[in-house]
Amino acid sequence: MNIRARKLIHGLLCLAAAGAAASATAQTLPPPQNVVALSATASVEINKDWLTVVFSTIREGTDAAVVQGALRQALDTALTEARKAAKPGQVEVQTGAFSLYPRYAPKGGISGWQGSTELIVQGRDTQAISQLTGRISSLGIARVGFSLSRESREKVEGDVAAEAIGRFRARADAVSKLFGFAGYTVREVSVATDPSQTLSQPLMRAQSLRAGGEEALPVEAGKALVSATVSGSVQMK
C-alpha cells in the first residue's frame, strides 16, 4: 500500500470517529429544561360577501340528439341573459356540469335518454345576482350559498393571525413570570387559520326554487367566523 492510500484511509477513519463521537454526545445530552407548550386563539365575525347561485335543468326523451339539443338551448338562453349582467369581480358567469346518459328498461336495452346542465353565477354584487335569478326562466335554481371572497378572507386572516400571535406572546410572558423567570425564547411555533366556520345560513325559500317570474331571489348573507390559532413551545429563562 502506498503512502497516498494510507493517508486517505487514515483521513476516512478520523472522519468516522468524529461522527461517532458527535452522535454519542448528542445522545447523552440532557433533555431541554424549563420548556412549556402554549397555544392562543383569536377570532372575528365577518359578513360573507360572495354569493354563488347554481342554475340547472333536466331534460329527457327517447332521442339523445333531441335531449342534448334541448339542454343546449336552455343553457344558451340562460347564458345570453346572464352575460348582460356580467362584470369582472362583481358578477361572474360560467357554465357548470353538462351530462347525458341512457336510461335502461327493466328487461334490458336503452329506453330513453336523460341529461342535465348547469350555469354558475357568482360575485360580490348580490343585488344584481338576486335580480338576475328572476330573469332566467330556462333553468331552475339548484343551489344558493354565501362565502367569503378571497380578498376579504386574506385580509381578515392576516389581522386575526396578528392578534393570535400577540396573545401567544403575552401568554408566554405571563407564564414565564409566574414560574419565576425573567423572560423566554421561542423554540417552535405554528400558525393556522380557519375561515370555514359558519354562524348563520343564507335565507331562502323552503320549497323547490324555480327561476323566472321577474322576482328577485330573497337572500341573506349571514356571517362567517374566521379564527387563527398559534401553538408551540417556549424556553423560559
Side-chain angles (χ1 to χ4, degrees):
M1 184 181 295
N2 57 37
I3 297 177
R4 185 176 180 181
R6 290 178 180 176
K7 289 183 177 180
L8 179 59
I9 293 173
H10 179 72
L12 292 174
L13 291 174
C14 289
L15 287 174
S23 177
T25 301
Q27 293 177 2
T28 57
L29 287 176
Q33 300 294 319
N34 306 322
V35 175
V36 61
L38 299 170
S39 66
T41 301
S43 60
V44 64
E45 293 181 12
I46 181 173
N47 289 325
K48 298 178 182 179
D49 62 342
W50 192 263
L51 173 61
T52 300
V53 179
V54 179
F55 299 86
S56 71
T57 190
I58 297 174
R59 296 287 191 273
E60 57 184 25
T62 57
D63 190 299
V66 173
V67 174
Q68 181 172 289
L71 290 172
R72 289 184 180 276
Q73 182 177 359
L75 179 60
D76 185 63
T77 301
L79 267 174
T80 300
E81 188 63 42
R83 284 169 177 160
K84 297 177 183 178
K87 297 177 184 178
Q90 300 300 314
V91 181
E92 298 183 356
V93 179
Q94 70 180 73
T95 55
F98 190 104
S99 63
L100 181 66
Y101 49 90
R103 298 177 62 183
Y104 294 95
K107 296 182 179 180
I110 297 175
S111 61
W113 295 82
Q114 181 172 311
S116 63
T117 186
E118 287 185 344
L119 175 66
I120 304 170
V121 180
Q122 56 188 336
R124 294 188 186 85
D125 194 338
T126 59
Q127 182 177 0
I129 294 174
S130 64
Q131 291 176 350
L132 176 62
T133 62
R135 300 195 301 271
I136 293 180
S137 58
S138 61
L139 302 179
I141 300 174
R143 299 186 300 278
V144 180
F146 275 94
S147 60
L148 291 178
S149 65
R150 182 182 62 185
E151 293 79 7
S152 296
R153 184 177 66 250
E154 290 177 349
K155 179 181 178 181
V156 172
E157 284 179 350
D159 295 340
V160 175
E163 183 178 351
I165 291 171
R167 292 183 179 183
F168 181 89
R169 295 177 61 184
R171 182 167 296 178
D173 185 64
V175 170
S176 297
K177 290 179 179 179
L178 286 173
F179 278 104
F181 294 89
Y184 67 92
T185 57
V186 177
R187 287 176 54 85
E188 58 182 16
V189 67
S190 64
V191 182
T193 58
D194 179 15
S196 62
Q197 301 181 56
T198 300
L199 297 183
S200 59
Q201 298 294 333
L203 175 64
M204 57 186 298
R205 294 169 182 161
Q207 68 268 28
S208 177
L209 296 172
R210 291 290 298 176
E214 299 296 329
E215 294 184 7
L217 178 70
V219 293
E220 180 64 36
K223 294 180 179 291
L225 183 66
V226 181
S227 62
T229 300
V230 179
S231 57
S233 60
V234 299
Q235 179 97 44
M236 299 180 292
K237 62 178 185 178

